[in-house]
Structure formats: C-alpha cells, structure tokens
C-alpha cells in the first residue's frame, strides 16, 4: 500500500449531470478530470445503456460543461465564442459520437429545451447595460457586447457581482423562444428578470424568476408562459417565497421554498403545490429537513439539481444527520422512500430497470450505481484503480453532548497508527454553515492523515441535517457554534489521549474560515491556524460581497446602521489584537462570496500586532477553488497547507 499524495487527485474523475432519455433506455452524464499540463479540466460525455448495462465514452466536450436531450438517441451541447458572444449549438449522435447538426444562438446559452424540430426554449445571458438591437446582424451585436467594458466596469445596482457568474451588473438570465429556422429569438421573460428553474409541459413553459432594479430581493416568483396565446400567467407573485426549485407535476406545479417567517433565509424548504383546478397554492409537506444533498465534499467538481419529476411524482434527496436519502412525493402529499440512508447521493436518473445514481459509498470516490428493488450494483470503475492501493483511513464516529444536543463527531487516525505514540491533531471546520460533514472520502483529510496527523471534525449548531432549530444561527455566530467546537475538541482529547493537546492545529473554509478567525481571537489552545476564504468583518462583508445585503444581514440579525455594535461584536476583527496563533490565510481574487478584503484585514491586523502570518492570494479563482479551481492552483493550495502544518506542528 502506498501513501496518498496531493497529486493523486490529478487522477480523480468527477461525475455530474446524470439524466435519462425520455424512453428511459439510456442515460448520460459528464466526467471531469484535471489536466495539469493545460491547467484545465478534461470533460467527456458518457452513455449508459440500460439494456446491456454497458458504459461508453461518447465524445470529448472541450470547454462545454452541460448537455441537453434532443431525442432518445442524441443530445445538444453549446459552445460560447466569447469574442462574438454567440453560442454554437451542436447535436451529437450518441451511437456514433458524430456531430449531426448545428445552429447559432446570438447569446451566451445557459440551458436549452426542445419543443419541436424548429423551436427551442433557451435560457441565456442578456446584458441590459445598453439597449441591444437583436434585429440587426446578431454576430455584429454580439461583438459589440463583447467589446463593452474592456477597460472599466460600471456598477449601478447591488449586487454587482456573483461568485459563480462574475460581474452581473444589469446582466440577467433571460428566457426566450428561439426558432432555428428563422433565427428569431423572442424574449418571453421580463427584461430585468433573472430566470432559474424552467420546465415544459405541452405548449406551456414554467419558470422561476427574480425581477429587480437597483437592489436584489430574496424572494422570487413563478410564471407560466403559454406559447399558443403568447401570454404569461403569474402563479406565485414575487415577495412571498424564497424559492429554490419548481417543476410541473402533470398539470399541477410543485415548488420548494420557504416563507422565511420562523428561521430566516436559511429556513429549510417546505414543499408547496399549485393546483391548476383551484388556482391556489397549498402547503404539501413541511418536513423540517434539508431537501437536498447537503454533505460537503472536496471531491465533487459540480453540484447537481436533485429535484426531479418522474411518472407523476416529484423526487428529491434529503439530508438527515450526516447521510442522504431519496424520497418522492405525490400530489396528495404521500411520501415514499426509494433509497435508505446512504453516505452521499450526488445525482440520479430513472431507467427502466431502476434508479441510476452517482454516489459516494464506503470511502470511495464518486461512482455510478444502479438501485434495483432492494439491491445496489456498482456500475462503474472510474476511480477504483486510483485509490485501491492507497492508504485510506475511515473515520470513527461517536456522539458528544453540547448545548443540550447529542452531536456527531468524527476522528480519522493517522495512517500506520501506533497507540504508543503521540500525534498532532487538526480540527477541520466545514463551510456553510448549513452544510454537513459525512463519512465520505475527503482528499484534504486523507492527505493530512497520510502525513501523520489526526484529523477530527464535527457538525456544530448551524449545520444542516438536524432541523431548523439546530440550524438557526441568526445573531449567534461565534457563540453556540464556538462552544460546540470547543466541547468537541475537549471530548476528542479525552477519548483519544494519544493526541498531543499541546500540538493542535485548526483549519476551515468560508464559514469555517470565519470560525477559524473567531477561534484564534478567543483561545490560544491551537498552535497554528489556517483560515481559507474566511470572514473577518461583517460590516465590510455587507458592502462588498454578493450575499452581503441579503443572507449576511439576515444571519447577523442586523445591518451597519440598525445595530452596528452587534455586527462588530460578531466580527473576528474586533478580537484580532488578542491573537497569538500563527495563521495562514488563503483567498482568491475572484471570490465574490467572501471577498479577499476579509483575509487582508485579518492578515494586516495580525502582522500589525507582531503575530506570524502569511497570505496566499490565488489569481483568477472563485470561492470554489478547492473543488473546481485550476489544477495547478489546487495543488499549490494543498502544498502550502501541508507546509504550514509541517512547520508549526512538526517543527520541520
């Protein structure tokens, strides 16, 4: 057996976008793997044949990151020409991999759904900074858009950027009816509406949209566009629900959302139904669980939509504790479980013999599985050879009591563990905070235990999987969650006396970075710390990030004017003069979720007070550097993490 190394992740294959054809005879998905030579990702389209259970690679996708079903034997992909701001749409035959057809859309395409041979419903990016004349030659119009703001940006609304979309000022994802034969592209959503979930039933188009000028709102609305009559019906007006998903259930409409009345923006979704016969919205089910796969992991390239409709039922994943399940609900609110608790269900599709799904099971990386009746079959071997001869350690799981709750804790021992030795320990803190750690494979953790560290982690207050009351941190950041983490650390040291209590490190990203910044200002028990994409000053974050004016205001239960002292009291910067812990900061210059100003503030404060500190600012990376960042940067990130811990916990 060999030790797992940082560079082993170059061989990992990440699976996503799993979906089946209309006849359920075949399914497709995308695999992605790092190409360090070109510093990018190699993406391939794969097909699964339900009859033969055979897998085959259909085609390399290049820069394309999504596909769209055209018919049972072919799919569409789109490729953006950035210089002209137009998208080429290509039809790929699944049997041959040959491109059979193509057409041009005068926009940056985000989603395509086929109506018939000529008409398509397209979600695309519209730039409303200036009036676009789509009656002129669309190549000229696209080049005109591409030339805008080459030397400067103009912001006249908030937020002006978004972490996974870049600069979004006056840019909206619009919905249009496109005719490939005539080239006509008719916008059917409002000009300043930002469209997300889209569904088609017969000649009707359901879509979710958020319309705003100057300042974004949290709520969104649901609309149905009738293609025949060219009219739009408002199903749910904007202003009531924070909606995460919507789809047709036969003629009715089911949507997942929250009214935010009891627990704010991060209140768990309820399931609602709009009944076409009564024209009323009804609460279909309030489950008080996370209606998604909330298991966080650094071995996914892309998250998936796990809400789907099949044979008159809506299917969805839930997270309970640190595991996921697959459920369905019908129009009467009847729930059915289709997959019991699993380590992680990342995506799924329906085929004739059962449910095909991408899962992380038994400390494996992502693979394709088939659920038939009561049996699960592993279909793929994408990652088996990569880790089968590596030293992988499974976590030990226990519960501890903190703040009146029994909370799950995890400990991963170092490889080749010797109970007679003392080992340095590292507390890892997840982001969110409304995500959760599970018993899945984490590359960062396995690298650390292969370097001789004990890694321990938990799901404190604020985490997903335990209901609204447990997940509600509004106005309490750095208090009940901090107590949980310290109680957990105490319990770990009591249960595992071979961990050297004088040789502990702490690391966290995003919310975990906030908690790391908070911890070093409130205790000196950790010998060193690493804060990734963390938060240091809620007042500054309010005005510089994509969720500052919405989520952060809600979660801090204040803003800079109504209760500035409260925001400052919950900011790690207030306590930075107390810090004695050597700290490494890691940020990215295009992380608009936790803008790198946050890291610079803490770094400067520590250096000002003569505390050893260093900051790495990665160029061209977003908040997701540890999941989908450029391969070389992902390697460098882990190298500096291991180096920092090595220098401070091993004295090497």
């Amino acid at each position: 057996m060999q030790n797992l190394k940082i560079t082993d992740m170059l061989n990992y294959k990440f699976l996503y976008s799993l979906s089946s054809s209309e006849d359920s005879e075949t399914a497709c998905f995308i695999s992605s793997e790092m190409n360090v030579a070109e510093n990018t990702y190699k993406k391939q389209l794969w097909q699964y044949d339900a009859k033969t259970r055979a897998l085959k690679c259909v085609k390399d996708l290049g820069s394309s990151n999504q596909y769209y079903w055209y018919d049972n034997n072919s799919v569409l992909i789109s490729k953006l020409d950035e210089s002209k701001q137009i998208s080429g749409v290509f039809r790929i035959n699944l049997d041959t991999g040959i491109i059979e057809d193509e057409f041009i859309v005068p926009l940056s395409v985000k989603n395509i759904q086929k109506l018939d041979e000529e008409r398509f419903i397209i979600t695309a990016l519209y730039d409303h900074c200036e009036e676009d004349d789509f009656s002129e030659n669309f190549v000229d119009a696209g080049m005109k858009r591409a030339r805008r703001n080459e030397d400067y940006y103009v912001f006249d609304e908030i937020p002006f950027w978004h972490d996974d979309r870049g600069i979004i000022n006056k840019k909206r994802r619009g919905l249009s009816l496109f005719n490939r034969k005539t080239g006509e592209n008719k916008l059917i959503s409002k000009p300043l509406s930002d469209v997300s979930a889209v569904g088609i039933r017969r000649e009707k188009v359901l879509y979710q949209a958020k319309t705003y000028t100057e300042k974004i709102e949290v709520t969104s609305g649901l609309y149905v566009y009738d293609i025949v009559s060219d009219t739009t019906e408002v199903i749910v007006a904007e202003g009531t629900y924070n909606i995460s998903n919507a789809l047709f259930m036969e003629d009715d409409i089911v949507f997942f959302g929250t009214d935010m009345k009891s627990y704010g923006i991060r209140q768990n979704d309820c399931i609602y139904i709009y009944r076409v016969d009564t024209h009323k919205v009804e609460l279909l089910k309030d489950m008080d669980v996370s209606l998604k796969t909330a298991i966080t992991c650094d071995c996914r390239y892309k998250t998936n939509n796990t809400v789907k409709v099949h044979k008159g039922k809506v299917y969805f994943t839930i997270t309970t504790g640190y595991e996921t399940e697959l459920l369905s609900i019908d129009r009467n609110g009847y729930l059915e479980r289709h997959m019991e608790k699993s380590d992680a269900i990342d995506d799924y599709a329906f085929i004739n013999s059962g449910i095909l799904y991408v899962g992380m099971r038994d400390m494996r990386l992502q693979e394709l599985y088939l659920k038939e009746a009561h049996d699960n079959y592993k279909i793929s071997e994408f990652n088996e050879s990569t880790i089968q001869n590596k030293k992988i350690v499974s976590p030990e799981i226990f519960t501890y009591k903190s703040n009146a709750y029994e909370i799950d804790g995890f400990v991963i021992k170092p490889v080749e563990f010797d109970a007679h030795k003392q080992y340095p320990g590292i507390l890892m803190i997840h982001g969110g905070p409304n995500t959760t750690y599970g018993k899945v494979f984490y590359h960062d953790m396995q690298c650390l235990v292969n370097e001789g560290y004990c890694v321990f982690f938990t799901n404190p207050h604020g985490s997903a999987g335990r209901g609204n009351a447990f997940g509600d941190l509004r106005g309490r950041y750095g208090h009940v969650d901090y107590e949980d983490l310290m109680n957990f650390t105490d319990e770990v040291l009591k249960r595992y006396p071979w961990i050297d209590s004088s040789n502990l490190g702490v690391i966290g990203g995003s919310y975990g970075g906030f908690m790391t910044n908070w911890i070093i200002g409130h205790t000196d028990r950790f010998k060193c710390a690493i804060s990734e994409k963390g938060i240091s000053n809620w007042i500054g974050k309010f005005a510089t990030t994509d969720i500052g004016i919405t989520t952060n205001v809600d979660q801090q239960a204040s803003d800079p004017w109504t209760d500035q002292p409260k925001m400052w009291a919950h900011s790690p910067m207030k306590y930075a003069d107390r810090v004695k812990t050597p700290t490494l900061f890691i940020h990215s210059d295009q992380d608009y979720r936790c803008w790198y100003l946050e890291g610079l503030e803490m770094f400067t404060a520590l250096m000002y007070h003569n505390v050893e500190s260093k900051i790495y600012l990665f160029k061209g990376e977003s908040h997701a550097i540890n999941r989908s960042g450029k391969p070389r940067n992902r390697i460098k990130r882990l190298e500096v993490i291991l180096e920092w811990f090595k220098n401070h916990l091993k004295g090497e």
Side-chain angles (χ1 to χ4, degrees):
M1 300 289 283
Q2 301 174 340
N3 284 92
L4 185 80
K5 301 294 185 183
I6 293 173
T7 52
D8 283 324
M9 69 179 173
L10 296 176
N11 299 315
Y12 296 169
K13 291 182 173 61
F14 311 105
L15 313 181
Y16 56 94
S17 296
L18 175 64
S19 65
S20 55
S21 58
E22 187 175 357
D23 64 5
S24 300
E25 292 290 342
T26 188
C28 287
F29 61 95
I30 297 174
S31 73
S32 178
E33 61 183 307
M34 296 185 222
N35 183 332
V36 72
E38 297 182 10
N39 205 25
T40 185
Y41 289 81
K42 178 183 179 181
K43 304 181 183 73
Q44 294 180 315
L45 177 68
W46 288 78
Q47 179 189 22
Y48 172 77
D49 188 308
K51 290 181 179 179
T52 64
R53 296 194 178 183
L55 278 173
K56 74 170 184 178
C57 180
V58 177
K59 195 173 187 64
D60 288 345
L61 293 179
S63 60
S64 296
N65 203 34
Q66 186 59 281
Y67 66 92
Y68 320 96
W69 284 98
Y70 184 83
D71 56 30
N72 292 322
N73 299 307
S74 61
V75 298
L76 301 174
I77 63 168
S78 63
K79 292 186 178 182
L80 175 67
D81 184 332
E82 293 189 6
S83 66
K84 298 178 181 177
Q85 285 295 292
I86 60 176
S87 298
V89 180
F90 306 88
R91 180 181 172 188
I92 300 175
N93 184 294
L94 294 176
D95 294 328
T96 64
I98 296 173
I99 294 176
E100 297 183 327
D101 200 3
E102 65 176 296
F103 55 93
I104 300 295
V105 177
L107 295 160
S108 174
V109 170
K110 305 302 178 184
N111 187 273
I112 305 172
Q113 295 190 51
K114 176 188 170 187
L115 284 171
D116 52 40
E117 295 298 320
E118 292 184 2
R119 300 176 303 160
F120 299 85
I121 296 296
I122 292 181
T123 307
L125 190 64
Y126 285 78
D127 186 345
H128 300 283
C129 292
E130 298 179 22
E131 288 297 323
D132 282 325
D133 182 6
F134 290 101
S135 64
E136 68 178 314
N137 182 288
F138 56 69
V139 174
D140 293 339
M143 293 179 70
K144 185 189 298 182
R145 291 195 300 276
R147 287 194 298 268
R148 290 180 192 157
N149 300 332
E150 289 182 340
D151 299 313
Y152 59 89
Y153 295 113
V154 176
F155 298 155
D156 59 2
E157 64 181 17
I158 51 176
F160 35 80
W161 52 35
H162 189 281
D163 186 63
D164 61 358
R165 294 164 58 190
I167 304 298
I168 62 169
N169 193 81
K170 287 294 189 295
K171 294 179 181 179
R172 305 287 194 269
R173 294 166 298 188
L175 194 67
S176 64
L177 176 62
F178 178 76
N179 189 305
R180 62 180 297 189
K181 184 176 181 180
T182 65
E184 180 186 6
N185 187 66
K186 179 180 180 180
L187 184 65
I188 59 178
S189 57
K190 294 179 182 178
L192 287 173
S193 288
D194 194 52
V195 172
S196 47
V198 179
I200 298 175
R201 182 166 174 79
R202 302 188 185 96
E203 293 284 307
K204 293 189 176 182
V205 183
L206 167 69
Y207 65 95
Q208 174 189 343
K210 183 176 296 188
T211 307
Y212 63 97
T213 58
E214 298 184 354
K215 185 175 71 172
I216 198 170
E217 300 296 338
V218 175
T219 61
S220 55
L222 290 180
Y223 305 87
V224 170
Y225 173 72
D226 189 307
I227 297 172
V228 176
S229 65
D230 189 25
T231 58
T232 299
E233 179 184 2
V234 179
I235 303 299
V236 175
E238 298 180 37
T240 303
Y241 297 102
N242 183 3
I243 299 172
S244 64
N245 225 308
L247 25 62
F248 280 116
M249 181 194 279
E250 296 181 341
D251 289 331
D252 294 332
I253 295 168
V254 171
F255 67 94
F256 289 50
T258 169
D259 60 13
M260 304 170 287
K261 291 180 179 178
S262 300
Y263 294 98
I265 286 177
R266 286 183 168 153
Q267 182 173 314
N268 285 325
D269 282 349
C270 294
I271 306 175
Y272 296 90
I273 186 169
Y274 172 84
R275 300 193 189 275
V276 69
D277 54 349
T278 64
H279 300 282
K280 291 183 179 180
V281 171
E282 300 175 12
L283 175 64
L284 192 60
K285 187 68 68 173
D286 180 1
M287 301 173 62
D288 194 20
V289 296
S290 300
L291 303 182
K292 59 183 178 180
T293 298
I295 310 296
T296 184
C297 185
D298 58 4
C299 292
R300 294 189 191 100
Y301 177 78
K302 187 173 179 285
T303 57
N304 301 285
N305 176 20
T306 55
V307 179
K308 305 183 181 185
V309 65
H310 180 63
K311 293 184 177 179
K313 296 179 181 180
V314 170
Y315 288 71
F316 55 97
T317 58
I318 66 170
T319 301
T320 52
Y322 52 84
E323 296 172 303
T324 56
E325 301 176 70
L326 179 63
L327 280 65
S328 70
I329 192 168
D330 66 14
R331 67 188 312 274
N332 297 315
Y334 174 74
L335 286 173
E336 184 177 358
R337 277 177 167 76
H338 299 274
M339 290 174 57
E340 297 298 331
K341 290 184 177 180
S342 178
D343 294 349
I345 304 167
D346 291 344
D347 203 357
Y348 60 94
F350 306 99
I351 58 173
N352 288 335
S353 58
I355 300 173
L356 199 66
Y357 68 98
V358 175
M360 301 185 75
R361 299 170 59 94
D362 306 319
M363 290 300 291
R364 289 186 173 97
L365 290 159
Q366 288 178 321
E367 296 291 354
L368 197 65
Y369 295 85
L370 176 62
K371 173 72 164 57
E372 287 183 327
H374 301 292
D375 297 318
N376 281 278
Y377 305 95
K378 187 157 70 71
I379 300 298
S380 68
E381 300 283 337
F382 283 106
N383 290 298
E384 288 300 296
S385 61
T386 303
I387 62 172
Q388 65 181 358
N389 294 317
K390 302 295 181 181
K391 296 176 182 178
I392 307 298
V393 186
S394 298
E396 297 179 3
I397 306 172
F398 62 88
T399 60
Y400 65 99
K401 191 167 185 177
S402 181
N403 289 299
Y405 277 86
E406 292 289 331
I407 303 177
D408 299 307
F410 306 76
V411 172
I412 308 181
K413 293 178 179 178
V415 298
E416 300 175 353
F417 170 72
D418 183 344
H420 298 96
K421 292 183 178 180
Q422 287 275 290
Y423 293 91
I426 297 174
L427 169 65
M428 298 194 76
I429 309 170
H430 67 61
N434 58 330
T435 60
T436 186
Y437 277 133
K439 51 180 182 178
V440 299
F441 183 99
Y442 296 96
H443 182 72
D444 286 10
M445 293 183 185
Q446 293 298 325
C447 284
L448 286 166
V449 299
N450 271 268
E451 291 291 331
Y453 302 98
C454 171
V455 174
F456 53 99
F457 50 101
T458 187
N459 294 313
H461 274 79
S463 301
R466 298 290 299 272
N468 281 315
F470 185 84
D472 185 15
L473 274 187
R474 290 174 301 162
R476 301 193 295 166
Y477 278 60
H479 290 260
V480 63
D481 45 354
Y482 172 73
E483 292 171 3
D484 288 345
L485 290 167
M486 294 304 100
N487 291 339
F488 170 62
T489 302
D490 292 340
E491 185 68 21
V492 167
L493 295 176
K494 182 173 72 174
R495 287 174 178 257
Y496 299 89
W498 44 264
I499 299 176
D500 185 353
S501 61
S502 65
N503 215 16
L504 300 178
V506 58
I507 179 174
S510 194
Y511 162 77
F514 160 78
M515 280 309 310
T516 300
N517 291 341
W518 183 270
I519 284 169
I520 60 177
H522 288 78
T523 179
D524 298 334
R525 73 186 302 176
F526 295 94
K527 197 172 181 181
C528 68
I530 300 177
S531 172
E532 293 193 80
K533 52 194 177 186
I535 301 157
S536 64
N537 184 346
W538 290 110
I539 298 173
K541 191 177 188 303
F542 161 86
T544 58
T545 66
D546 60 353
I547 61 171
I549 64 170
T550 52
T551 303
N552 295 152
V553 168
D554 172 83
Q555 290 295 289
Q556 294 310 306
S558 59
D559 63 39
W561 299 276
T562 57
D563 198 347
Q564 187 184 77
K566 180 175 179 58
M567 294 193 86
W568 182 239
H570 288 270
S571 297
M573 270 293 288
K574 178 178 180 180
Y575 314 97
D577 61 335
R578 305 178 185 178
V579 176
K580 306 297 181 186
T581 308
T583 304
L584 169 68
F585 298 95
I586 298 175
H587 278 262
S588 300
D589 69 355
Q590 292 180 16
D591 182 347
Y592 304 133
R593 185 62 41 86
C594 294
W595 184 228
Y596 67 80
L597 172 66
E598 302 294 313
L600 291 177
E601 286 193 16
M602 282 295 288
F603 166 72
T604 300
L606 267 59
M607 293 292 285
Y608 183 79
H609 289 97
N610 302 311
V611 178
E612 181 187 357
S613 186
K614 184 182 289 188
I615 187 165
Y616 277 81
L617 182 62
F618 286 91
K619 298 178 181 179
E621 297 291 358
S622 71
H623 198 64
I625 181 177
N626 63 322
R627 297 184 296 275
S628 57
K630 298 180 185 69
R632 293 175 202 163
N633 284 342
R634 290 184 69 174
I635 292 171
K636 184 63 178 179
R637 168 191 166 271
L638 262 175
E639 285 177 346
V640 301
I641 287 173
L642 291 181
E643 181 183 20
W644 191 259
F645 282 138
K646 178 181 177 181
N647 291 340
H648 292 87
L649 298 183
K650 292 185 175 181
E652 299 180 17

